[in-house]
């Protein structure tokens, strides 16, 4: 019988997000009639590394020890790929769930990667630049045998950015003795980073709005958009929304939300955050709580911060007709069912935020070939890949009469399962 791996339980991965990822997987595996041996194998990550390491505070007498993780879910499809998150509540189960989602995401858009994810349990808002650099360099040193251009390629996620990726590239390169830009993506352009990577996830999210809106007959011109999370993904989603002629009526971050019915000045909000780190004190609208943001009267909601924010407790009261999941795992299974009943169209994380890993894939290819594409080439190819993935997923949804998440997972899980079956079991 299958599920041998479950006989002893798997407390290692226990976390709310991992439970959600498994619920989604089991639902789709059953619907697809997935081979039970393959299903059993895919429910758990292939490799996980837990490290602890010290770093010095700027007050040189203080040394803090922290946890770091790197999880590789599936090594079947090529090297693994996934972001690194710095947050106070990062744990092995969350990272494992995010690695699993990365596997499906790469398979849905057709990239030659398995999924991975990494994290360090620190509060990025309370690290100075020098402290963040020391954390990053030591974390990379601890996981150095686990990553590499043909092994596992990190990228930015919550709490990390281009500068963090530059330190990762430098630390790895120092160890191997030569510059190795292709070990990490999301780097600054000076180091072989893609000129379009920083904006790719947020812009990619919004690029799917016209396709999603067309399924509902919704006009996107002047559509009111609320965005939860105003970091990399949320802020560029806001920029793209404004460029498309939508009205960004609310944005939020860890400090709370800002609402302005005739449209938040996105550029001013970004400039405020660049100077002050959060939206705290930004005067460009009325202050709301993060919870209130989900009830703001709008047509489109973009969760672009943490996971597990759209739940059975608030799904009934979300006025938006379209939800574009910029964040990973923002919607619980119960909330998904409520939203589906209410006719709210959810474009799932594994599809909606795949612009980030797709642009990362371009960056990796360019670094390996030492040949760089123009910005318009990158944007054009990104749009083409995402639009095609959306159409393919929508076709599966229509054929099987399922929601877009289920359809996307049918496509992603199916591709990985077929690859596993043709490779066979070693030895
Ligand atoms: P980021 O660190 O740049 O920004 C995160 C934002 O969320 C910040 O504005 C922060 O203040 C806010 N935030 C954090 N905790 C919050 C809370 N509890 N309530 C409200 N707001 C909160 O991170 P990012 O790279 O923009 O990532 C955001 C989400 O998008 C994550 O779920 C990440 O996994 C996902 N994602 C990111 C990328 C990428 O390319 N960066 C790609 C795919 C998916």
């Amino acid at each position: 019988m299958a599920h041998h791996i479950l006989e002893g339980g798997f407390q290692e991965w226990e976390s709310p997000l991992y439970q959600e990822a498994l619920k989604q997987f089991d639902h789709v595996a059953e619907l697809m009639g997935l081979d039970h041996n393959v299903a059993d194998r895919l429910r758990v990550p292939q490799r996980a590394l837990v490290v602890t390491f010290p770093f010095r505070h700027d007050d040189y007498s203080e040394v803090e020890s922290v946890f770091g993780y790197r999880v590789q879910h599936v090594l079947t499809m090529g090297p693994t790929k996934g972001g690194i998150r710095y947050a106070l509540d990062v744990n092995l189960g969350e990272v494992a769930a995010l690695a699993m989602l990365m596997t499906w995401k790469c398979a849905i858009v057709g990239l030659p990667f398995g999924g991975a994810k990494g994290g360090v349990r620190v509060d990025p808002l309370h690290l100075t630049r020098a402290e963040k650099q020391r954390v990053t360099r030591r974390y990379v040193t601890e996981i150095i045998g686990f990553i590499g251009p043909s092994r596992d390629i990190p990228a930015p996620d919550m709490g990390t950015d281009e500068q963090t990726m530059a330190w990762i590239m430098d630390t790895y390169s120092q160890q191997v003795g030569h510059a190795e830009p292709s070990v990490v993506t999301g780097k600054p352009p000076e180091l072989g980073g893609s000129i379009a990577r920083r904006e790719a996830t947020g812009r990619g999210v919004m690029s799917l709005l016209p396709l999603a809106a067309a399924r509902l007959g919704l006009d996107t011109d002047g559509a009111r958009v609320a965005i939860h999370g105003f970091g990399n993904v949320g802020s560029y989603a806001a920029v793209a929304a404004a460029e498309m002629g939508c009205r960004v009526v609310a944005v939020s971050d860890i400090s709370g939300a800002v609402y302005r019915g005739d449209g938040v000045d996105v550029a001013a909000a970004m400039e405020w955050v660049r100077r002050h780190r959060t939206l705290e004190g930004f005067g460009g609208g009325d202050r709301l709580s993060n919870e209130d943001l989900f009830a703001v009267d709008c047509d489109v909601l973009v969760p672009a911060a943490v996971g597990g924010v759209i739940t059975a407790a608030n799904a009934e009261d979300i006025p938006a007709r379209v939800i574009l999941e910029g964040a990973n795992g923002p919607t619980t299974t119960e909330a998904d069912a409520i939203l589906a009943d209410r006719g709210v169209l959810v474009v799932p994380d594994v599809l909606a935020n795949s612009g980030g890993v797709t642009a990362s894939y371009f960056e990796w290819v360019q670094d390996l070939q030492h040949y760089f594409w123009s910005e318009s080439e990158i944007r054009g190819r990104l749009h083409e890949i995402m639009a095609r993935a959306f159409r393919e997923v929508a076709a599966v949804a229509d054929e099987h009469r399922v929601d877009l998440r289920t359809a996307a997972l049918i496509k992603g899980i199916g591709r990985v399962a077929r690859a596993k079956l043709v490779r066979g079991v070693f030895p």
Side-chain angles (χ1 to χ4, degrees):
M1 270 313 288
H3 299 321
H4 302 292
I5 204 159
L6 303 184
E7 279 166 13
F10 50 101
Q11 304 87 316
E12 288 86 352
W13 320 109
E14 197 52 55
S15 78
L17 198 58
Y18 196 71
Q19 289 302 328
E20 288 298 335
L22 275 189
K23 272 191 226 164
Q24 292 174 1
F25 175 78
D26 289 343
H27 167 66
V28 173
E30 195 185 328
L31 212 69
M32 295 169 70
L34 189 66
D35 180 297
H36 69 80
N37 294 305
V38 176
D40 194 26
R41 185 78 195 94
L42 290 174
R43 294 180 95 236
V44 283
Q46 193 163 340
R47 291 178 176 168
L49 182 61
V50 180
V51 297
T52 60
F53 60 89
F55 72 98
R56 274 190 199 282
H57 285 206
D58 286 351
D59 168 2
Y60 216 63
S61 63
E62 279 298 315
V63 176
E64 185 179 344
S65 286
V66 291
F67 282 93
Y69 310 93
R70 186 74 188 167
V71 175
Q72 300 165 354
H73 176 239
V74 163
L75 281 75
T76 309
M77 323 290 293
T80 49
K81 184 112 195 60
I84 291 175
R85 175 175 285 194
Y86 289 179
L88 255 188
D89 51 3
V90 164
N91 57 63
L92 183 61
E94 179 179 276
V95 175
L98 292 166
M100 184 187 278
L101 290 179
M102 280 302 294
T103 298
W104 315 142
K105 190 181 303 178
C106 292
I108 290 161
V109 278
L111 307 179
F113 298 126
K117 207 77 179 190
V120 179
R121 197 186 299 170
V122 283
D123 181 354
L125 278 181
H126 287 103
L127 291 177
T128 65
R129 181 186 159 97
E131 288 166 346
K132 198 169 179 182
Q133 176 166 183
R134 290 195 285 274
V135 166
T136 303
R137 290 188 181 278
R138 182 61 188 256
Y139 169 63
V140 173
T141 306
E142 295 296 337
I143 66 164
I144 201 144
F146 216 48
I147 59 172
S150 53
R151 198 176 279 238
D152 180 13
I153 306 124
D157 193 80
M158 272 178 44
T160 60
D161 58 13
E162 286 180 10
Q163 178 59 73
T164 325
M165 301 305 115
W167 291 325
I168 293 176
M169 181 266 186
D170 184 67
T171 305
Y172 188 87
S173 299
Q174 296 296 340
Q175 300 287 327
V176 297
H178 56 90
E180 192 57 272
S182 52
V183 67
V184 65
T185 58
K187 299 176 297 293
E190 296 78 3
L191 296 178
S194 165
I195 30 184
R197 171 64 181 91
R198 185 193 302 166
E199 304 182 7
T201 312
R203 284 192 178 277
V205 167
M206 289 313 298
S207 76
L208 296 184
L209 178 60
L211 300 172
R215 287 177 74 79
L216 297 176
L218 179 78
D219 188 2
T220 59
D221 199 31
R224 295 158 306 161
V225 181
I227 300 179
H228 179 251
F230 199 65
N232 174 274
V233 178
S235 63
Y236 285 109
V239 169
E243 281 175 12
M244 287 165 68
C246 300
R247 207 165 3 123
V248 180
V249 291
V251 296
S252 79
D253 69 6
I254 188 86
S255 73
V258 177
Y259 172 82
R260 191 181 166 117
D262 57 2
V264 174
D265 182 341
V266 174
M270 280 176 81
E271 179 55 22
W272 182 272
V273 171
R274 197 183 62 74
R275 282 195 281 130
H276 304 276
R277 295 188 119 179
T278 69
L279 288 164
E280 181 82 61
F282 176 64
D286 301 330
R287 294 294 293 187
L288 300 176
S289 70
N290 264 297
E291 197 40 59
D292 290 341
L293 178 123
F294 292 99
V296 157
D297 198 15
C298 65
D299 307 296
V300 182
L301 174 66
V302 182
V306 288
V309 289
I310 302 176
T311 65
N314 63 7
E316 280 303 349
D317 305 318
I318 290 177
R321 295 185 61 200
V322 178
I323 297 180
L324 303 170
E325 293 186 339
N328 283 309
T331 311
T332 65
T333 311
E334 291 76 21
D336 246 346
I338 296 169
L339 294 166
D341 272 354
R342 296 184 48 227
V344 179
L345 184 67
V346 179
V347 184
D349 46 10
V350 285
L351 177 61
N353 69 33
S354 62
V357 70
T358 305
S360 273
Y361 163 64
F362 296 161
E363 181 176 331
W364 177 72
V365 166
Q366 292 168 83
D367 286 338
L368 289 175
Q369 299 183 341
H370 311 285
Y371 177 74
F372 292 88
W373 312 344
S374 71
E375 188 162 354
S376 65
E377 258 176 298
I378 298 170
R379 284 203 185 171
R381 288 185 203 208
L382 182 63
H383 183 74
E384 189 186 312
I385 288 182
M386 288 195 68
R388 187 183 62 215
F390 185 94
R391 283 195 299 271
E392 288 173 359
V393 167
V396 174
D398 294 340
E399 185 191 335
H400 296 277
R401 295 176 183 282
V402 292
D403 60 19
L404 291 179
R405 188 185 319 279
T406 306
L409 292 175
I410 288 176
K411 187 163 157 12
I413 293 169
R415 178 160 183 245
V416 176
R418 287 192 298 280
K420 278 223 160 286
L421 286 168
V422 287
R423 271 190 67 160
V425 178
F426 176 85

